[in-house]
Amino acid sequence: MKEIACLVTVQFASLGTRADRKECAHELRELAGSAGLDVVLNVDVFQKEPNAALWIGSGKVSEIKASVKKYGCNVVVFDSDLSATQQRNLEDALDCKTIDRTQLILDIFASRARSMEGKLQVEVAQLKYLLPRLSGKGLSLSRLGGGVGTRGPGEQKLEMDRRHIRERIARLSKELQELGLRRKTGMQAKKESRLPVIALVGYTNAGKSTLFNKLTRSEAVVKNQMFSTLDTTTRA
């Protein structure tokens, strides 16, 4: 069952101009779609400066809360990166699950990673994101499990205290380092073969996989979707 989402795009006059707000709103909608959210509401916020406690003004928060209730939304997604305190305060004020752009992307990554290295990288990123969000109230202990769907590292791991999470990050980082050394050995073999190596680099959904398939006669997954391909693919 899809979660019903309200998307919030924010711009502050005090922070100068940023990318076109319509473009930012469109990208956030694309990300939400990639995460499997059913977007029913888009809110565009423009104000003088950030609010330390809520990121946006309390008046706007009240407006969003009313709209969330009206449209039956169960998740509010901000296009900005929120501090742990702002995220917690917004969730309390809106009486609704609230996530930011970073968590949305991490949720997408968690659903797309297929290789062992990719899965480890995503879990390390999720745990580092979670660490400052652990609160005495215990509300944030299941933060990642309460993202989009249930793609966090798992409820059992999220019940760890800060020390255990740091230890987990250290263990995963060591495993990643070992995998990296193996990958480096494979790359060295390719260099010694003197075959030219070409990398396709570009923003998500730019057409890299489509071009890759044309060049290599492969069948890498191609979707009109952001971050549909997460792991590296290599072909002759």
Side-chain angles (χ1 to χ4, degrees):
M1 183 177 177
K2 281 191 174 183
E3 292 182 273
I4 302 171
C6 166
L7 308 183
V8 183
T9 307
V10 187
Q11 182 174 14
F12 300 105
S14 62
L15 299 182
T17 58
R18 55 178 284 188
D20 182 75
R21 283 157 69 192
K22 287 185 179 179
E23 198 172 298
C24 293
H26 175 73
E27 183 180 71
L28 186 63
R29 193 179 186 96
E30 289 290 311
L31 286 169
S34 292
L37 294 175
D38 183 9
V39 179
V40 298
L41 184 63
N42 290 276
V43 179
D44 192 19
V45 179
F46 182 79
Q47 60 186 56
K48 187 176 179 181
E49 57 188 7
N51 180 299
L54 294 167
W55 188 239
I56 59 176
S58 57
K60 201 66 180 179
V61 170
S62 297
E63 289 179 26
I64 294 172
K65 182 177 181 178
S67 297
V68 163
K69 187 175 181 179
K70 177 181 177 181
Y71 289 93
C73 300
N74 49 24
V75 58
V76 177
V77 185
F78 279 76
D79 76 326
S80 318
D81 286 332
L82 303 170
S83 70
T85 300
Q86 288 166 343
Q87 192 170 14
R88 196 157 52 243
N89 290 343
L90 282 166
E91 204 155 75
D92 289 341
L94 294 170
D95 194 23
C96 182
K97 180 165 61 182
T98 304
I99 65 176
D100 61 13
R101 176 189 169 86
T102 296
Q103 186 175 349
L104 179 63
I105 291 175
L106 286 175
D107 285 338
I108 295 171
F109 282 3
S111 70
R112 302 282 195 273
R114 294 290 178 268
S115 69
M116 176 60 71
E117 188 172 17
K119 291 176 180 178
L120 290 176
Q121 287 173 334
V122 172
E123 186 173 351
V124 167
Q126 287 181 311
L127 291 172
K128 285 182 177 179
Y129 177 88
L130 169 68
L131 196 55
R133 285 166 169 75
L134 292 175
S135 67
K137 295 165 65 177
L139 295 176
S140 295
L141 286 173
S142 58
R143 170 65 61 197
L144 291 176
V148 176
T150 54
R151 302 180 191 131
E155 194 68 26
Q156 184 177 356
K157 293 172 186 173
L158 292 173
E159 296 300 332
M160 298 175 184
D161 60 16
R162 294 177 189 274
R163 179 173 58 83
H164 288 153
I165 288 179
R166 289 193 183 99
E167 289 173 355
R168 174 81 179 158
I169 290 172
R171 286 198 301 272
L172 293 176
S173 297
K174 186 176 180 181
E175 288 182 47
L176 279 171
Q177 190 174 21
E178 292 171 357
L179 287 171
L181 289 173
R182 290 181 210 166
R183 182 160 38 82
K184 191 174 181 180
T185 302
M187 290 174 66
Q188 186 60 38
K190 289 176 187 175
K191 286 182 180 179
E192 290 173 358
S193 70
R194 297 185 178 278
L195 286 173
V197 178
I198 300 169
L200 298 178
V201 182
Y203 194 57
T204 180
N205 207 25
K208 299 184 296 298
S209 295
T210 300
L211 177 58
F212 178 87
N213 286 342
K214 291 291 184 182
L215 293 173
T216 64
R217 296 183 178 86
S218 299
E219 295 183 356
V221 176
V222 173
K223 290 182 180 179
N224 184 21
Q225 188 180 66
M226 301 186 83
F227 300 113
S228 61
T229 307
L230 188 62
D231 295 306
T232 301
T233 304
T234 304
R235 294 288 187 278

